[in-house]
């Protein structure tokens, strides 16, 4: 059992001072042959104007779109209700797309990541459920090797290490080898140091191996991932696999299948390593359409539910809420609108996993009750919903599924 439902990381700076930058687009394009006049939008009309702006971008009428967006941004508050805040973030994203500003996917700073982990249940739900699936799969094995793709700050692992320590006895100590991948060697080393000192404090034998993956490289498992004799292997992909969808850095339709086969090749190489379990957590949305308006409307639908959940659980002036909306979800929205960040729904992932030779391992009833406990203790809002569908667990807001966690063999 995972005793710790908290995954705080005390060694990182959890306090953040954020300067809320309200970006307004002031580009006026008088040379355009249609001059668009917009009345200042009321909250009910701002969504319509946002959709109209997206449609102008879709039709490559960028000057008109920028004019509409500048009208929109002047009337919106990033501290209004959830609808205002959502429209504000989409206005910034569309402005970047219309101005063809290069909005490369930027890495989140540690403080933003920890705020996200704190104020929403999404990360903790994914970590807790994946951890339980790994615990169930490794059973009583004494030599465990976990490969965590994109380990970031390692907040997933202290509760897991605690659970392993709780069931270990001193006569038969458990040895854990954790390979953490990432794109920043300094972050990886700090993460390893923190986890090592935590594991030692629990009396566990622990080895951490940092593995640098460059964003452009195909992260096929390198030779250093060879199993040691007698080790059992678990692979963790928490919000990682979707990053492989945009590996070709192009939003043209011809590359959708190409990126999908790229993911299949990667998964096949993992399957050859014969893990006892592969855990996967992903966003439950299709942000992978080559058609701009489809991507935009799906993103609007998805993030409307996300922003409503934040409004129901955090006060309007919450600094952490502002940080998460602007620095976490705002960057995600911008990445999706600009075609740099892609997601697929579970049904598509299920097909891809099966193509790569994996079959689903049903998540235990205990994993579901544990996720329910997490919500009840830390996020006691009626709006969050948990559902067990297709042997996987989905976390949603009201009737909209937002995240899925599944386990594969």
């Amino acid at each position: 059992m995972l005793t710790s439902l908290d995954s705080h990381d005390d060694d990182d700076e959890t306090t953040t001072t954020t300067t809320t930058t309200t970006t307004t687009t002031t580009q006026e394009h008088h040379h355009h042959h249609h001059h668009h006049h917009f009345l200042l939008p009321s909250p009910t009309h701002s969504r319509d104007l946002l959709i109209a702006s997206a449609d102008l971008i879709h039709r490559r009428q960028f000057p008109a779109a920028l004019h509409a967006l500048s009208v929109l941004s002047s009337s919106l508050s990033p501290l209004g209700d959830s609808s205002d805040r959502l429209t504000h973030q989409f206005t910034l994203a569309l402005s970047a797309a219309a101005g063809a500003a290069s909005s490369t996917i930027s890495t989140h700073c540690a403080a933003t990541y920890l705020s996200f982990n704190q104020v929403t249940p999404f990360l903790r739900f994914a970590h807790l459920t994946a951890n339980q699936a790994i615990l169930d799969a490794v059973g009583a094995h004494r030599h465990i090797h976990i490969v965590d793709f994109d380990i970031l700050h390692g907040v997933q692992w202290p509760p897991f290490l605690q659970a392993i320590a709780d069931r270990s006895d001193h006569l038969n100590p458990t040895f854990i080898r954790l390979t953490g991948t990432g794109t920043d060697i300094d972050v990886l080393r700090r993460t390893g140091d923190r986890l090592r000192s935590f594991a030692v404090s629990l009396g566990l034998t622990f080895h951490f191996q940092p593995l640098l993956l460059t964003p452009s490289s195909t992260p096929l498992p390198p030779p250093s991932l060879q199993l040691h004799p007698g080790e059992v292997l678990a692979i963790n992909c928490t919000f990682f696999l979707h990053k492989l969808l945009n590996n070709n850095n192009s939003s043209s339709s011809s590359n959708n299948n190409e990126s999908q086969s790229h993911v299949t090749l990667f998964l096949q190489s993992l399957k050859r390593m014969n893990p006892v379990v592969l855990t996967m957590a992903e966003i439950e949305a299709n942000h992978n359409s080559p058609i701009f308006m489809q991507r935009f409307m799906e993103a609007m639908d998805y993030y409307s539910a996300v922003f409503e959940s934040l409004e129901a659980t955090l006060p309007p002036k919450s600094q952490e809420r502002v940080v998460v909306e602007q620095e976490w979800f705002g960057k995600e929205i911008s990445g999706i609108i600009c075609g740099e960040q892609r997601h697929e729904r579970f049904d598509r992932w299920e097909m891809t996993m099966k193509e790569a030779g994996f079959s689903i391992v049903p998540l235990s009833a205990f994993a579901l009750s544990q996720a329910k406990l997490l919500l009840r203790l830390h996020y006691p809002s009626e709006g969050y919903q948990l559902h067990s569908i297709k042997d996987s667990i989905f976390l949603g807001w009201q009737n909209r599924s937002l995240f899925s966690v599944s386990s594969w063999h």
Side-chain angles (χ1 to χ4, degrees):
M1 158 142 188
L2 294 172
T3 49
S4 165
L5 287 173
D6 256 334
S7 42
H8 301 289
D9 203 331
D10 298 324
D11 299 344
D12 267 273
E13 327 80 79
T14 47
T15 55
T16 328
T17 45
T18 288
T19 50
T20 306
T21 54
T22 311
T23 312
T24 52
T25 314
T26 53
Q27 290 151 284
E28 293 293 337
H29 297 261
H30 296 291
H31 62 274
H32 199 260
H33 59 283
H34 293 302
H35 205 88
H36 293 259
H37 295 279
F38 295 104
L39 296 170
L40 217 61
S42 68
T44 48
H45 292 149
S46 60
R47 185 186 159 93
D48 295 337
L49 185 50
L50 190 68
I51 293 168
S53 305
D55 189 53
L56 287 168
I57 293 171
H58 177 64
R59 291 188 276 126
R60 309 192 75 75
Q61 296 181 11
F62 300 123
L66 283 167
H67 179 65
L69 290 164
S70 67
V71 171
L72 197 51
S73 64
S74 66
S75 70
L76 287 170
S77 164
L79 298 176
D81 64 14
S82 70
S83 170
D84 265 6
R85 289 168 181 240
L86 180 79
T87 307
H88 173 72
Q89 293 306 326
F90 271 90
T91 301
L92 295 181
L94 288 174
S95 300
S102 63
S103 104
T104 50
I105 297 174
S106 48
T107 51
H108 302 289
C109 72
T112 303
Y113 181 83
L114 293 169
S115 288
F116 177 53
N117 188 46
Q118 211 56 45
V119 303
T120 75
F122 307 136
L123 264 185
R124 290 160 89 179
F125 155 72
H127 291 164
L128 193 71
T129 309
N131 282 354
Q132 189 58 50
I134 295 170
L135 278 173
D136 291 341
V138 299
H141 280 279
R142 296 288 173 200
H143 287 261
I144 301 166
H145 182 191
I146 296 168
V147 179
D148 185 11
F149 281 98
D150 217 11
I151 191 169
L152 295 171
H153 307 287
V155 297
Q156 175 166 351
W157 301 112
F160 179 85
L161 294 172
Q162 181 75 59
I164 290 289
D166 289 348
R167 70 182 202 187
S168 298
D169 61 59
H170 297 297
L171 297 174
N172 281 315
T174 301
F175 176 80
I176 294 184
R177 193 155 68 97
L178 177 57
T179 300
T181 82
T183 54
D184 183 328
I185 195 66
D186 293 328
V187 171
L188 284 174
R189 285 185 180 133
R190 282 199 299 274
T191 295
D193 291 343
R194 275 196 306 274
L195 290 173
R196 196 177 296 109
S197 60
F198 183 71
V200 167
S201 76
L202 298 173
L204 291 171
T205 314
F206 179 86
H207 177 72
F208 181 82
Q209 183 178 6
L211 190 61
L212 202 60
L213 295 179
T214 58
S216 58
S217 70
T218 304
L220 291 171
S224 52
L225 279 187
Q226 291 305 314
L227 273 183
H228 294 179
E231 256 184 359
V232 64
L233 173 68
I235 296 175
N236 184 64
C237 297
T238 304
F239 306 126
F240 171 72
L241 290 174
H242 72 268
K243 293 176 182 178
L244 306 183
L245 293 171
N246 66 309
N247 195 276
N248 41 45
N249 291 322
S250 163
S251 57
S252 72
S253 55
S254 63
N255 280 338
N256 260 12
N257 291 335
E258 192 183 309
S259 67
Q260 202 72 35
S261 63
H262 169 77
V263 178
T264 306
L265 284 173
F266 172 69
L267 288 167
Q268 283 169 341
S269 68
L270 296 185
K271 185 78 178 87
R272 284 195 290 273
M273 296 168 67
N274 197 26
V276 290
V277 67
L278 183 149
T279 46
M280 175 174 76
E282 280 297 337
I283 282 175
E284 181 60 10
N286 175 17
H287 299 141
N288 199 19
S289 172
I291 300 163
F292 179 82
M293 278 308 284
Q294 278 187 13
R295 227 167 43 240
F296 169 79
M297 293 307 291
E298 174 85 11
M300 280 284 286
D301 174 58
Y302 182 85
Y303 288 99
S304 291
V306 170
F307 275 57
E308 280 169 24
S309 76
L310 291 171
E311 179 161 81
T313 50
L314 293 160
K317 289 193 168 64
S318 157
Q319 190 58 36
E320 281 186 313
R321 179 179 167 190
V322 172
V323 168
V324 169
E325 286 175 340
Q326 299 186 1
E327 296 299 314
W328 189 274
F329 293 120
K331 285 180 178 174
E332 263 185 16
I333 289 165
S334 192
I336 292 161
I337 295 300
C338 296
E340 294 155 356
Q341 177 139 229
R342 300 161 183 279
H343 303 107
E344 292 278 17
R345 287 178 184 264
F346 178 78
D347 290 351
R348 187 67 192 263
W349 284 117
E350 184 183 36
M351 279 168 54
T352 306
M353 292 299 288
K354 286 177 176 171
E355 277 166 22
F358 283 93
S359 51
I360 201 153
V361 179
L363 289 166
S364 64
F366 184 70
L368 181 63
S369 61
Q370 196 167 240
K372 284 178 176 165
L373 183 64
L374 169 77
L375 291 179
R376 199 160 64 241
L377 289 178
H378 298 282
Y379 308 94
S381 166
E382 293 301 302
Y384 286 114
Q385 305 285 333
L386 281 165
H387 297 289
S388 184
I389 306 163
K390 290 190 165 186
D391 294 324
S392 308
I393 300 179
F394 292 76
L395 171 60
W397 178 257
Q398 308 293 11
N399 298 320
R400 177 70 165 86
S401 286
L402 297 176
F403 294 90
S404 71
V405 179
S406 54
S407 169
W408 302 82
H409 175 65

